[in-house]
Amino acid sequence: MVRDTRTRRTLTALLVAALLVVPTGAAAAAPTDAQTADASAALDAPVVAHAGADTGDDADASDADDENASADDAVSFVRTIEEMKGHLAVSARYANDGNAEMAAHHAGHPHEEYWSAVNATLSDANASLAADLEAKLLAAPDRARNDSGDAYAAYVNETLFPAFDDAERAVAGDRVDDAAFTGKVASALLQRAVQEYGEGVAANGTIVERMEYDDAHGFALRADALYRAQIRSTLDDHARDELDELHASLADRIANSASPEDLESTTSSIAAEYGEYLGIDTGSGETDAEETVETIKSNLDEAADAYAAGNDAEAKEMIRQTYLSHFEGLEGPLIEKRPELVNELEADFNEELPGLIDENASASEVRSKVDEMGAKLDTAAEVLSETDTETTINLENQSTSTTDETTTDTSETTSGSSPGLGAGAALLALLGTALVAMRRHT
């Protein structure tokens, strides 16, 4: 009797231990995300050469990265030049309509808003060309005010645009003749058009900011000009017909102030066609806000380093190019949630940080300003990444759902196999049978 009692106690203890040790439910059914990631990393990890080993693959990869970076820089430079052309194209249209003040206003934008974004790069490539182009740009507003519409249009098309073309070739070289390269530039221009259009036109099609609407119009005009000059002739009839129709639709939607959503739909279709027919990545997919902010912060750090090294023009160019290429893309969604933050950062990018450089501030002051901007940008990333997380739990089927459409159903996960679960179930059954048998004997 004592032996049976001790045996029962031992079996009971084992039963309790099994209940405590054996994993149950969804946690037992599948490995955690971290475990899965660790396993995948272990399987996918490349063989690492010992320190000091010379591998040709590493050298080739480094060369490829340098070449890609150079190509991306060239696209960014040419796109910026094309934006300057877009402002002047709109300026010429206002001049032909007899609106000299609006013509002069847009004529001033290329130097006021863009010159610092291209000056250092162009000066490095061709200093005399940079000086000549700057002088011609500075003369544009007065020409817009005082020349006849035809005379000013001739100045834009016959004097400024050829100088811009020379600048593009000086920096990008023969790439400017390549349809695929031009497709990337045109796609980037269309993305900028969408950004400006979203700030200038309300959801119902009402123009709320004329200047931003005009900017979008100018950028779209230049994207269309690039298509017709460099891309269209390289396409087959089917592709040409499709893109002709899409570009015509884009012009019509801008002329009739369609909704920003409709405009973006058209530009996305154009970019997709470029991707298909030119075999390029048009970069038309959405970019994560946090990733964009990290890029901006990294660029600002580089600008601060350049200033500390005495390269003022390079620092200002990087600041301006970062604003145009990256921060502008965040403005639209951010201004809906935190307009005061957008205003502060715009002032930082366009006035305060460049102003410190113009005033020959100390490197530590510039670094302090960059750090301050970094904190604001982190806030912007948090704001843009916020999602509604209202959660409902249904106890009947043990499923959890959230507003971001993420669903976990334990009825599915527990059906998966788990080594611990199968062995534990068998052990529990065995112990339970033994206890029942012993009770019967007693």
Side-chain angles (χ1 to χ4, degrees), residues 27 30-41:
T32 65
D33 290 341
Q35 291 168 332
T36 302
D38 289 343
S40 298

Side-chain angles (χ1 to χ4, degrees), residues 380-416:
E382 292 175 6
V383 170
L384 292 173
S385 299
E386 286 176 356
T387 56
D388 293 330
T389 56
E390 179 183 349
T391 303
T392 58
I393 299 177
N394 186 329
L395 296 178
E396 181 177 354
N397 59 16
Q398 297 181 332
S399 66
T400 303
S401 63
T402 62
T403 55
D404 62 2
E405 299 182 359
T406 301
T407 304
T408 302
D409 188 345
T410 58
S411 65
E412 295 179 2
T413 57
T414 54
S415 64

